[in-house]
Amino acid sequence: MSEQPVIVLVHGAFAESASWNRVIQRLHTNQLTAVAVANPLRSVEGDAAYVRDVISGIGRPVVLVGHSYGGLVITQAAAGNPAVRALVYVAAFAPEPGESAFLLSGKFEGSTLGGALEAYPVASGGNEFRIATDKFHHQFCADLEAGEAALMAATQRPVTEQALTDALTADEPAWRTTPSWFVHGERDLNIPAAALRFMAERAGSRGTREVAGASHALAASEPDAVTAAILDAVHHAQE
């Protein structure tokens, strides 16, 4: 059996690293080491470069897990990276070269994210987006209690317009050569379930879980399902 991998968790837009807490607790119960990366949410290539730095610093094989926009980041970061033994997409984008979060989220009907966003300019140029506080619960995490949703709205990390419109630039998406697993919610209002199913099938997912009634905030609301997908990837990586 090969060396046990470290689980590297990459959050997406409107979330933050503590959004993985319930998953991390379960990984620890399974005697696994996990690192939740603070994804900058500035640009796909810049964010992926940072994740590659984290992986390099760990110095061990990793299973790379991305949520939402984090799927773009892990796809870019894992390209040509031998340390990455498996990929897990949690309600996440799994792009082809040239595809962006903006393009993929509009590929199928059902996303209501656009109407929930607030935009404002940033000093580096362009705008960044956050989900309006009064819309966050319904839009992002309808299957969590209102009190927790309010905390998540207050701690959300905004994302730049550039990050959402940046296309994958890797010559080949990592999921084409690295085994991948997918898990998503049936009632995801950010990325329609139809889009998530399409990307999982296109990527040749080794195992896809669709959680009935679950929102976009799957790591918080359905940590058992997310952990199960990660454990499948870990078991493969150790074979």
Side-chain angles (χ1 to χ4, degrees):
M1 185 176 286
S2 60
E3 185 178 7
Q4 186 184 80
V6 174
I7 318 306
V8 176
L9 305 154
V10 182
H11 68 79
F14 323 117
E16 43 88 48
S17 53
S19 62
W20 295 107
N21 280 357
R22 289 176 183 147
V23 172
I24 293 169
Q25 287 171 336
R26 286 157 175 78
L27 294 173
H28 286 173
T29 299
N30 283 275
Q31 286 73 54
L32 291 167
T33 302
V35 175
V37 176
N39 186 1
L41 305 177
R42 303 293 91 185
S43 69
V44 171
E45 178 49 47
D47 297 344
Y50 176 64
V51 171
R52 284 194 292 268
D53 288 344
V54 172
I55 293 169
S56 177
I58 289 169
R60 281 170 54 189
V62 303
V63 168
L64 198 49
V65 184
H67 173 241
S68 192
Y69 162 80
L72 277 148
V73 175
I74 69 168
T75 304
Q76 183 86 10
N81 191 335
V84 180
R85 301 297 168 82
L87 299 163
V88 182
Y89 291 87
V90 181
F93 295 111
E96 286 269 18
E99 292 180 339
S100 66
F102 181 78
L103 185 151
L104 285 167
S105 62
K107 194 175 182 71
F108 296 85
E109 292 184 2
S111 175
T112 56
L113 179 61
L117 294 177
E118 296 176 338
Y120 48 89
V122 287
S124 56
N127 293 317
E128 74 173 9
F129 298 105
R130 70 188 301 277
I131 297 177
T133 300
D134 61 345
K135 295 177 179 176
F136 192 94
H137 189 189
H138 172 74
Q139 178 62 42
F140 197 80
C141 53
D143 51 354
L144 291 173
E145 292 182 353
E148 182 170 9
L151 289 174
M152 291 173 69
T155 60
Q156 67 174 298
R157 297 272 304 279
V159 63
T160 64
E161 186 174 15
Q162 178 181 341
L164 296 181
T165 55
D166 272 353
L168 186 76
T169 59
D171 293 335
E172 185 174 54
W175 47 257
R176 207 181 297 287
T177 53
T178 304
S180 60
W181 283 259
F182 286 71
V183 56
H184 66 264
E186 175 208 5
R187 295 190 181 179
D188 192 318
L189 298 182
N190 280 26
I191 309 172
L196 293 161
R197 292 183 204 117
F198 163 77
M199 289 183 281
E201 185 173 342
R202 180 175 70 176
S205 170
R206 300 290 185 96
T208 302
R209 291 171 169 83
E210 180 169 321
V211 185
S215 73
H216 188 61
L218 213 60
S221 66
E222 297 288 344
D224 288 336
V226 174
T227 304
I230 295 171
L231 291 177
D232 285 348
V234 169
H235 293 151
H236 170 84
Q238 289 186 283
E239 288 176 356

